[in-house]
Amino acid sequence: MSGESPDWSFETLAVRAGQERSQFNEHSEALYLTSSFVFRSAAEAAARFSGAEPGNVYARFTNPTVTTLQERLAALEGAEGCIATASGMAAIMATVMALMKSGEHIVASRSIFGATQQLFGTILPRFGIDTSFVDQGADDGFRAAMRPTTKLVFIETPSNPLTEVFDIAAAAKVAHARGALLVVDNCFCTPALQRPLQLGADLVIHSATKYLDGQGRVLGGAVCGNKALMEEVFKFLRTAGPTLSPFNAWVILKGLETLAVRMRAQSANALDMARWLEAHPRVARVYFPGLPSHPQYQLACRQQAGGGAIVAFDVKGEREAAWRVVDNCRLLSITANLGDTKTTITHPASTTHGRISAEARAASGIGEGLLRIAVGLESPADLQADLARGLG
Ligand SMILES: *Cc1c(COP(=O)(O)O)cnc(C)c1O
Protein backbone atom coordinates (compact mmCIF):
# COMPACT_ATOMS: atom_id res chain seq x y z
CA MET A 1 0.00 0.00 0.00
CA SER A 2 3.01 2.25 0.48
CA GLY A 3 3.79 4.60 -2.36
CA GLU A 4 0.17 4.46 -3.57
CA SER A 5 -1.23 7.06 -1.22
CA PRO A 6 -0.14 10.56 -2.28
CA ASP A 7 -3.66 12.02 -2.25
CA TRP A 8 -4.82 10.69 1.08
CA SER A 9 -5.54 13.14 3.86
CA PHE A 10 -3.64 13.12 7.15
CA GLU A 11 -6.39 11.18 8.96
CA THR A 12 -6.33 8.44 6.33
CA LEU A 13 -2.54 8.20 6.20
CA ALA A 14 -2.43 7.89 10.00
CA VAL A 15 -4.56 4.75 9.79
CA ARG A 16 -3.41 3.22 6.50
CA ALA A 17 -0.04 4.41 5.21
CA GLY A 18 2.79 1.90 4.91
CA GLN A 19 0.83 -1.29 5.50
CA GLU A 20 1.81 -4.27 3.40
CA ARG A 21 -0.10 -7.47 3.96
CA SER A 22 1.57 -10.84 4.27
CA GLN A 23 0.42 -14.05 2.58
CA PHE A 24 -2.27 -14.31 5.31
CA ASN A 25 -3.90 -11.02 4.33
CA GLU A 26 -4.21 -9.83 7.90
CA HIS A 27 -6.32 -6.70 8.47
CA SER A 28 -4.36 -5.27 11.40
CA GLU A 29 -0.63 -4.71 10.87
CA ALA A 30 1.37 -7.87 11.58
CA LEU A 31 3.90 -7.93 14.40
CA TYR A 32 7.05 -9.64 13.13
CA LEU A 33 8.82 -10.70 16.31
CA THR A 34 11.90 -12.03 14.65
CA SER A 35 15.49 -10.94 14.88
CA SER A 36 16.63 -12.42 11.58
CA PHE A 37 15.31 -13.52 8.19
CA VAL A 38 15.88 -16.70 6.20
CA PHE A 39 17.32 -16.78 2.67
CA ARG A 40 16.31 -19.24 -0.02
CA SER A 41 19.88 -19.76 -1.20
CA ALA A 42 23.48 -18.77 -0.65
CA ALA A 43 23.19 -16.44 -3.63
CA GLU A 44 20.16 -14.70 -2.14
CA ALA A 45 21.97 -14.29 1.20
CA ALA A 46 24.94 -12.75 -0.59
CA ALA A 47 22.73 -10.40 -2.61
CA ARG A 48 20.80 -9.26 0.48
CA PHE A 49 23.98 -8.67 2.45
CA SER A 50 25.66 -6.70 -0.32
CA GLY A 51 22.52 -4.64 -0.83
CA ALA A 52 22.27 -5.73 -4.48
CA GLU A 53 18.82 -7.11 -3.69
CA PRO A 54 16.44 -5.35 -1.28
CA GLY A 55 15.01 -7.34 1.61
CA ASN A 56 15.26 -7.97 5.31
CA VAL A 57 18.44 -9.46 6.73
CA TYR A 58 18.62 -8.80 10.45
CA ALA A 59 16.38 -6.72 12.72
CA ARG A 60 19.16 -4.33 13.74
CA PHE A 61 18.89 -3.15 10.11
CA THR A 62 15.23 -3.57 9.18
CA ASN A 63 12.11 -5.40 10.31
CA PRO A 64 8.80 -5.24 8.38
CA THR A 65 6.79 -3.91 11.37
CA VAL A 66 9.35 -1.17 11.92
CA THR A 67 9.37 -0.41 8.18
CA THR A 68 5.59 0.05 8.22
CA LEU A 69 5.92 2.54 11.08
CA GLN A 70 8.70 4.39 9.25
CA GLU A 71 6.64 4.69 6.08
CA ARG A 72 3.58 5.85 7.99
CA LEU A 73 5.51 8.50 9.93
CA ALA A 74 7.25 9.71 6.76
CA ALA A 75 3.84 10.07 5.11
CA LEU A 76 2.49 12.03 8.10
CA GLU A 77 5.47 14.41 8.18
CA GLY A 78 5.52 14.75 4.38
CA ALA A 79 9.07 13.37 4.38
CA GLU A 80 10.86 11.24 1.79
CA GLY A 81 12.01 8.92 4.53
CA CYS A 82 12.03 8.07 8.21
CA ILE A 83 14.28 6.02 10.48
CA ALA A 84 12.75 4.72 13.70
CA THR A 85 14.91 4.46 16.81
CA ALA A 86 14.76 2.96 20.30
CA SER A 87 13.83 6.29 21.93
CA GLY A 88 13.63 9.98 21.19
CA MET A 89 17.15 10.48 22.54
CA ALA A 90 18.39 7.66 20.29
CA ALA A 91 16.93 9.58 17.33
CA ILE A 92 18.82 12.72 18.32
CA MET A 93 22.04 10.82 18.96
CA ALA A 94 21.79 8.88 15.68
CA THR A 95 21.20 12.10 13.76
CA VAL A 96 24.24 13.81 15.27
CA MET A 97 26.50 10.77 14.92
CA ALA A 98 25.42 10.14 11.33
CA LEU A 99 25.74 13.69 10.06
CA MET A 100 28.53 15.29 12.11
CA LYS A 101 32.20 14.85 12.79
CA SER A 102 34.71 16.11 15.30
CA GLY A 103 35.40 19.83 14.96
CA GLU A 104 31.87 20.67 13.86
CA HIS A 105 29.40 22.78 15.80
CA ILE A 106 25.71 22.87 16.81
CA VAL A 107 23.57 25.93 17.49
CA ALA A 108 20.64 24.99 19.73
CA SER A 109 17.90 26.90 21.47
CA ARG A 110 18.41 26.99 25.22
CA SER A 111 14.94 25.73 26.05
CA ILE A 112 15.27 22.19 24.74
CA PHE A 113 14.56 18.88 26.45
CA GLY A 114 16.86 18.31 29.44
CA ALA A 115 18.52 15.15 28.11
CA THR A 116 19.16 16.85 24.76
CA GLN A 117 20.86 19.68 26.66
CA GLN A 118 22.98 17.12 28.52
CA LEU A 119 23.91 15.27 25.32
CA PHE A 120 24.93 18.47 23.55
CA GLY A 121 26.47 20.16 26.57
CA THR A 122 28.39 17.35 28.29
CA ILE A 123 28.73 14.25 26.06
CA LEU A 124 29.31 15.57 22.54
CA PRO A 125 32.16 17.91 23.63
CA ARG A 126 34.14 14.75 24.54
CA PHE A 127 34.01 13.89 20.83
CA GLY A 128 34.96 17.36 19.64
CA ILE A 129 31.46 18.61 18.89
CA ASP A 130 30.55 21.87 20.64
CA THR A 131 27.15 23.50 21.03
CA SER A 132 26.23 27.15 21.44
CA PHE A 133 22.94 27.59 23.30
CA VAL A 134 20.86 30.56 22.25
CA ASP A 135 17.74 32.05 23.84
CA GLN A 136 14.54 30.97 22.20
CA GLY A 137 13.04 33.59 19.91
CA ALA A 138 16.28 35.55 19.62
CA ASP A 139 16.69 35.54 15.85
CA ASP A 140 19.80 37.72 16.04
CA GLY A 141 21.28 35.50 18.71
CA PHE A 142 21.01 32.56 16.35
CA ARG A 143 22.66 34.40 13.51
CA ALA A 144 25.45 35.58 15.81
CA ALA A 145 26.08 32.06 17.13
CA MET A 146 26.61 30.56 13.67
CA ARG A 147 30.19 29.53 12.85
CA PRO A 148 31.74 28.29 9.60
CA THR A 149 31.76 24.85 11.25
CA THR A 150 28.07 24.93 12.27
CA LYS A 151 26.44 21.82 10.87
CA LEU A 152 23.11 21.67 12.73
CA VAL A 153 20.68 24.24 14.09
CA PHE A 154 18.46 22.49 16.62
CA ILE A 155 15.17 23.85 17.96
CA GLU A 156 12.13 22.58 19.81
CA THR A 157 8.80 24.35 19.40
CA PRO A 158 6.72 24.88 21.43
CA SER A 159 9.31 24.67 24.18
CA ASN A 160 9.10 22.87 27.49
CA PRO A 161 7.74 23.96 29.95
CA LEU A 162 7.01 27.60 28.98
CA THR A 163 5.53 26.84 25.52
CA GLU A 164 7.63 29.47 23.74
CA VAL A 165 7.01 29.26 20.00
CA PHE A 166 9.94 29.39 17.62
CA ASP A 167 9.61 30.62 14.03
CA ILE A 168 10.60 27.53 12.00
CA ALA A 169 10.74 29.30 8.62
CA ALA A 170 12.97 32.05 10.05
CA ALA A 171 15.28 29.50 11.69
CA ALA A 172 15.53 27.60 8.38
CA LYS A 173 16.66 30.81 6.65
CA VAL A 174 19.36 31.41 9.28
CA ALA A 175 20.60 27.81 9.01
CA HIS A 176 20.53 27.60 5.22
CA ALA A 177 22.27 30.96 4.75
CA ARG A 178 25.31 29.36 6.41
CA GLY A 179 24.99 25.92 4.85
CA ALA A 180 23.67 24.26 8.02
CA LEU A 181 20.69 21.93 8.46
CA LEU A 182 17.67 22.83 10.57
CA VAL A 183 16.51 20.10 12.96
CA VAL A 184 13.12 20.51 14.68
CA ASP A 185 12.06 18.38 17.63
CA ASN A 186 8.34 18.09 16.83
CA CYS A 187 7.44 16.10 19.92
CA PHE A 188 4.87 18.51 21.40
CA CYS A 189 2.82 19.23 18.29
CA THR A 190 3.29 16.01 16.29
CA PRO A 191 2.57 16.16 12.54
CA ALA A 192 -1.13 16.39 13.40
CA LEU A 193 -0.58 20.04 14.39
CA GLN A 194 2.72 21.07 12.81
CA ARG A 195 4.79 19.94 9.82
CA PRO A 196 8.25 21.51 10.09
CA LEU A 197 9.55 20.12 6.77
CA GLN A 198 6.93 22.16 4.91
CA LEU A 199 8.22 25.27 6.71
CA GLY A 200 11.81 24.68 5.60
CA ALA A 201 13.26 22.33 8.23
CA ASP A 202 15.57 19.56 6.99
CA LEU A 203 15.03 17.02 9.75
CA VAL A 204 12.23 16.30 12.20
CA ILE A 205 12.87 14.47 15.47
CA HIS A 206 10.26 12.57 17.44
CA SER A 207 10.06 11.03 20.83
CA ALA A 208 7.37 8.50 19.88
CA THR A 209 7.20 7.78 23.60
CA LYS A 210 4.98 10.84 23.91
CA TYR A 211 2.02 11.68 21.66
CA LEU A 212 2.73 9.24 18.81
CA ASP A 213 2.07 6.26 21.06
CA GLY A 214 -0.07 8.57 23.15
CA GLN A 215 -0.90 6.07 25.84
CA GLY A 216 2.31 5.89 27.84
CA ARG A 217 3.18 2.31 26.91
CA VAL A 218 6.51 2.17 25.12
CA LEU A 219 9.69 4.08 24.31
CA GLY A 220 10.42 4.96 20.72
CA GLY A 221 11.80 7.66 18.49
CA ALA A 222 12.18 8.67 14.88
CA VAL A 223 13.93 11.04 12.56
CA CYS A 224 12.38 12.14 9.25
CA GLY A 225 13.99 13.90 6.28
CA ASN A 226 15.07 13.48 2.68
CA LYS A 227 16.39 10.23 1.22
CA ALA A 228 20.05 11.22 1.27
CA LEU A 229 19.98 12.26 4.94
CA MET A 230 18.00 9.15 5.94
CA GLU A 231 20.53 6.97 4.13
CA GLU A 232 23.27 8.44 6.35
CA VAL A 233 21.20 7.95 9.52
CA PHE A 234 20.43 4.38 8.46
CA LYS A 235 24.12 3.57 7.92
CA PHE A 236 24.83 4.67 11.50
CA LEU A 237 21.80 2.89 12.95
CA ARG A 238 22.39 -0.48 11.30
CA THR A 239 25.98 -0.48 12.55
CA ALA A 240 25.65 1.12 15.99
CA GLY A 241 22.28 -0.43 16.83
CA PRO A 242 19.89 2.08 18.50
CA THR A 243 17.13 0.34 16.55
CA LEU A 244 13.43 0.31 17.50
CA SER A 245 12.00 -2.99 18.69
CA PRO A 246 9.31 -4.40 16.36
CA PHE A 247 6.97 -4.80 19.33
CA ASN A 248 7.28 -1.10 20.18
CA ALA A 249 6.81 -0.22 16.51
CA TRP A 250 3.60 -2.23 16.46
CA VAL A 251 2.30 -0.47 19.61
CA ILE A 252 3.16 2.94 18.16
CA LEU A 253 1.39 2.04 14.88
CA LYS A 254 -1.75 1.41 16.91
CA GLY A 255 -1.20 4.75 18.64
CA LEU A 256 -0.88 6.59 15.32
CA GLU A 257 -4.31 5.38 14.22
CA THR A 258 -5.86 7.73 16.79
CA LEU A 259 -3.26 10.52 16.59
CA ALA A 260 -5.44 13.02 14.71
CA VAL A 261 -8.46 12.61 16.98
CA ARG A 262 -6.37 12.56 20.14
CA MET A 263 -4.45 15.72 19.26
CA ARG A 264 -7.65 17.51 18.28
CA ALA A 265 -9.42 16.51 21.51
CA GLN A 266 -6.42 17.07 23.80
CA SER A 267 -5.74 20.48 22.23
CA ALA A 268 -9.38 21.44 22.78
CA ASN A 269 -9.24 20.25 26.40
CA ALA A 270 -5.99 22.19 26.90
CA LEU A 271 -7.55 25.38 25.52
CA ASP A 272 -10.47 24.90 27.89
CA MET A 273 -8.04 24.38 30.78
CA ALA A 274 -5.91 27.41 29.80
CA ARG A 275 -8.96 29.68 29.67
CA TRP A 276 -10.16 28.42 33.04
CA LEU A 277 -6.75 28.92 34.63
CA GLU A 278 -6.40 32.41 33.13
CA ALA A 279 -9.67 33.40 34.82
CA HIS A 280 -8.70 31.87 38.19
CA PRO A 281 -7.86 34.45 40.90
CA ARG A 282 -5.03 32.29 42.34
CA VAL A 283 -3.24 32.03 38.97
CA ALA A 284 -0.73 34.77 38.10
CA ARG A 285 0.03 33.81 34.49
CA VAL A 286 -0.81 31.10 31.94
CA TYR A 287 1.52 29.90 29.16
CA PHE A 288 -0.36 28.32 26.25
CA PRO A 289 0.16 29.10 22.53
CA GLY A 290 -3.59 28.88 21.89
CA LEU A 291 -4.38 31.88 24.13
CA PRO A 292 -4.40 35.38 22.59
CA SER A 293 -2.40 36.51 25.66
CA HIS A 294 0.55 34.31 24.56
CA PRO A 295 3.36 36.55 23.25
CA GLN A 296 3.70 34.51 20.03
CA TYR A 297 0.00 33.82 19.53
CA GLN A 298 0.03 35.10 15.91
CA LEU A 299 3.05 32.97 15.03
CA ALA A 300 1.48 29.92 16.71
CA CYS A 301 -1.70 30.47 14.67
CA ARG A 302 0.34 30.54 11.44
CA GLN A 303 2.62 27.65 12.27
CA GLN A 304 0.44 25.25 14.26
CA ALA A 305 -3.02 23.81 13.62
CA GLY A 306 -3.80 24.01 17.35
CA GLY A 307 -2.27 25.12 20.63
CA GLY A 308 -1.11 21.64 21.59
CA ALA A 309 -1.87 20.00 24.90
CA ILE A 310 0.80 21.40 27.23
CA VAL A 311 -0.35 24.19 29.54
CA ALA A 312 1.95 25.86 32.07
CA PHE A 313 0.93 28.39 34.70
CA ASP A 314 2.30 30.37 37.62
CA VAL A 315 0.42 29.90 40.86
CA LYS A 316 0.38 33.01 43.04
CA GLY A 317 2.87 32.38 45.82
CA GLU A 318 6.02 30.30 45.97
CA ARG A 319 6.83 26.59 46.02
CA GLU A 320 4.37 25.87 48.87
CA ALA A 321 1.46 27.20 46.83
CA ALA A 322 2.46 25.14 43.76
CA TRP A 323 3.06 21.98 45.79
CA ARG A 324 -0.35 22.41 47.46
CA VAL A 325 -1.97 22.19 44.01
CA VAL A 326 0.03 19.06 43.15
CA ASP A 327 -0.57 17.38 46.49
CA ASN A 328 -4.33 17.90 46.27
CA CYS A 329 -4.60 16.13 42.91
CA ARG A 330 -6.54 12.89 43.03
CA LEU A 331 -7.21 12.64 39.30
CA LEU A 332 -4.19 14.25 37.63
CA SER A 333 -1.11 11.99 37.77
CA ILE A 334 1.94 13.45 39.48
CA THR A 335 4.56 12.46 36.93
CA ALA A 336 7.03 14.17 34.65
CA ASN A 337 5.92 12.24 31.58
CA LEU A 338 3.70 13.87 28.99
CA GLY A 339 1.81 13.00 25.85
CA ASP A 340 -0.55 10.53 27.48
CA THR A 341 -4.34 10.33 27.37
CA LYS A 342 -4.10 10.58 31.17
CA THR A 343 -3.48 14.16 32.34
CA THR A 344 -0.19 14.70 34.18
CA ILE A 345 1.07 17.51 36.41
CA THR A 346 4.68 18.47 37.13
CA HIS A 347 6.47 21.08 39.24
CA PRO A 348 9.44 21.77 36.90
CA ALA A 349 11.59 23.69 39.41
CA SER A 350 11.87 20.65 41.72
CA THR A 351 11.80 17.86 39.10
CA THR A 352 12.62 18.16 35.39
CA HIS A 353 14.58 21.39 35.89
CA GLY A 354 15.68 20.72 39.47
CA ARG A 355 19.35 20.20 38.61
CA ILE A 356 19.71 23.59 36.99
CA SER A 357 20.90 26.35 39.36
CA ALA A 358 18.17 28.57 40.83
CA GLU A 359 19.65 31.57 39.01
CA ALA A 360 19.68 29.82 35.63
CA ARG A 361 16.13 28.65 36.27
CA ALA A 362 14.97 32.14 37.13
CA ALA A 363 16.75 33.49 34.03
CA SER A 364 14.83 31.08 31.84
CA GLY A 365 11.53 32.02 33.53
CA ILE A 366 10.97 28.79 35.45
CA GLY A 367 9.80 30.07 38.81
CA GLU A 368 8.97 28.25 42.04
CA GLY A 369 5.26 28.76 41.43
CA LEU A 370 5.30 27.26 37.91
CA LEU A 371 3.31 24.09 37.16
CA ARG A 372 3.11 22.20 33.88
CA ILE A 373 0.08 20.19 32.87
CA ALA A 374 0.00 17.79 29.91
CA VAL A 375 -3.72 17.69 29.28
CA GLY A 376 -5.23 14.33 28.38
CA LEU A 377 -8.65 13.07 27.40
CA GLU A 378 -10.52 13.24 30.73
CA SER A 379 -13.45 15.63 31.04
CA PRO A 380 -12.22 19.23 31.49
CA ALA A 381 -14.75 19.72 34.30
CA ASP A 382 -13.28 16.83 36.29
CA LEU A 383 -9.73 18.10 35.75
CA GLN A 384 -10.64 21.61 36.82
CA ALA A 385 -12.44 20.37 39.94
CA ASP A 386 -9.25 18.46 40.84
CA LEU A 387 -7.07 21.56 40.46
CA ALA A 388 -9.56 23.87 42.17
CA ARG A 389 -9.14 21.96 45.43
CA GLY A 390 -5.43 22.80 45.70
CA LEU A 391 -5.71 26.29 44.24
CA GLY A 392 -8.23 27.17 46.95
C1 LIG B 1 10.79 13.04 25.93
C2 LIG B 1 11.40 13.95 24.95
C3 LIG B 1 12.58 13.59 24.26
C4 LIG B 1 13.32 12.29 24.52
O1 LIG B 1 12.53 11.19 24.20
P1 LIG B 1 12.73 9.74 24.89
O2 LIG B 1 11.79 8.90 24.11
O3 LIG B 1 12.40 9.91 26.33
O4 LIG B 1 14.16 9.38 24.69
C5 LIG B 1 13.08 14.47 23.34
N1 LIG B 1 12.47 15.66 23.10
C6 LIG B 1 11.36 16.03 23.76
C7 LIG B 1 10.76 17.35 23.45
C8 LIG B 1 10.79 15.20 24.70
O5 LIG B 1 9.69 15.59 25.36
Side-chain angles (χ1 to χ4, degrees):
M1 212 173 277
S2 51
E4 302 170 14
S5 51
D7 299 335
W8 284 347
S9 68
F10 185 88
E11 284 78 2
T12 308
L13 292 171
V15 177
R16 298 279 187 175
Q19 185 173 7
E20 255 178 275
R21 296 201 165 92
S22 78
Q23 67 194 89
F24 301 114
N25 234 3
E26 66 282 356
H27 188 211
S28 178
E29 293 77 1
L31 167 54
Y32 292 96
L33 270 185
T34 181
S35 51
S36 64
F37 300 85
V38 176
F39 310 109
R40 277 169 295 206
S41 65
E44 185 178 75
R48 290 267 178 94
F49 264 86
S50 73
E53 184 187 293
N56 297 294
V57 172
Y58 184 56
R60 173 155 31 81
F61 315 164
T62 60
N63 171 288
T65 311
V66 176
T67 302
T68 299
L69 174 67
Q70 292 178 160
E71 290 187 5
R72 189 165 300 175
L73 264 179
L76 295 179
E77 285 289 359
E80 284 178 13
C82 168
I83 299 292
T85 55
S87 68
M89 288 317 301
I92 297 172
M93 188 203 51
T95 301
V96 169
M97 298 299 266
L99 303 177
M100 296 187 71
K101 60 180 189 292
S102 175
E104 291 182 331
H105 174 246
I106 300 173
V107 173
S109 52
R110 202 178 300 283
S111 33
I112 50 175
F113 187 65
T116 314
Q117 260 178 33
Q118 291 292 314
L119 175 69
F120 290 180
T122 67
I123 296 178
L124 293 183
R126 301 205 319 254
F127 301 91
I129 295 172
D130 284 325
T131 297
S132 303
F133 292 100
V134 179
D135 286 324
Q136 190 98 338
D139 231 32
D140 293 346
F142 265 75
R143 214 165 280 124
M146 298 294 287
R147 298 179 191 167
T149 52
T150 305
K151 183 75 199 232
L152 300 181
V153 173
F154 191 103
I155 63 173
E156 196 177 299
T157 179
S159 73
N160 179 23
L162 294 173
T163 72
E164 298 155 288
V165 179
F166 203 96
D167 190 332
I168 295 172
K173 281 208 189 90
V174 171
H176 295 161
R178 303 293 291 269
L181 299 170
L182 176 66
V183 188
V184 177
D185 185 330
N186 200 24
C187 177
F188 280 16
C189 273
T190 82
L193 301 182
Q194 171 171 281
R195 261 154 270 163
L197 298 176
Q198 288 173 4
L199 298 168
D202 302 285
L203 293 151
V204 168
I205 297 284
H206 275 293
S207 167
T209 316
K210 313 292 169 52
Y211 291 102
L212 300 187
D213 167 37
Q215 287 141 89
R217 300 171 291 195
V218 295
L219 286 173
V223 48
C224 302
N226 71 29
K227 279 221 154 60
L229 291 171
M230 290 308 97
E231 191 53 44
E232 292 306 310
V233 175
F234 178 63
K235 276 193 236 162
F236 174 79
L237 176 110
R238 60 172 280 165
T239 305
T243 312
L244 182 66
S245 127
F247 178 77
N248 289 12
W250 179 81
V251 171
I252 296 164
L253 275 168
K254 294 291 120 190
L256 284 181
E257 291 183 7
T258 57
L259 179 67
V261 280
R262 277 188 287 110
M263 291 311 287
R264 209 176 295 136
Q266 287 177 234
S267 268
N269 285 356
L271 179 59
D272 194 287
M273 170 76 81
R275 285 182 178 143
W276 179 79
L277 286 167
E278 200 165 47
H280 199 285
R282 300 284 307 143
V283 172
R285 183 168 171 194
V286 180
Y287 308 83
F288 181 64
L291 283 180
S293 59
H294 189 283
Q296 293 123 5
Y297 176 68
Q298 297 301 335
L299 171 60
C301 289
R302 278 205 310 279
Q303 187 164 285
Q304 303 175 201
I310 307 287
V311 180
F313 62 104
D314 288 316
V315 180
K316 284 183 185 162
E318 287 296 305
R319 178 174 291 206
E320 296 72 22
W323 278 24
R324 193 178 319 122
V325 175
V326 173
D327 289 339
N328 274 286
C329 285
R330 292 173 201 159
L331 173 59
L332 278 77
S333 314
I334 308 170
T335 168
N337 197 23
L338 59 93
D340 202 303
T341 53
K342 296 180 170 72
T343 301
T344 63
I345 188 165
T346 311
H347 180 245
S350 57
T351 59
T352 52
H353 295 68
R355 292 200 194 161
I356 307 170
S357 72
E359 299 77 54
R361 253 198 326 267
S364 54
I366 299 166
E368 288 291 330
L370 183 77
L371 291 172
R372 185 198 73 193
I373 297 179
V375 182
L377 285 179
E378 304 94 332
S379 132
D382 292 340
L383 294 171
Q384 288 154 21
D386 208 40
L387 290 168
R389 203 176 313 113
L391 279 168

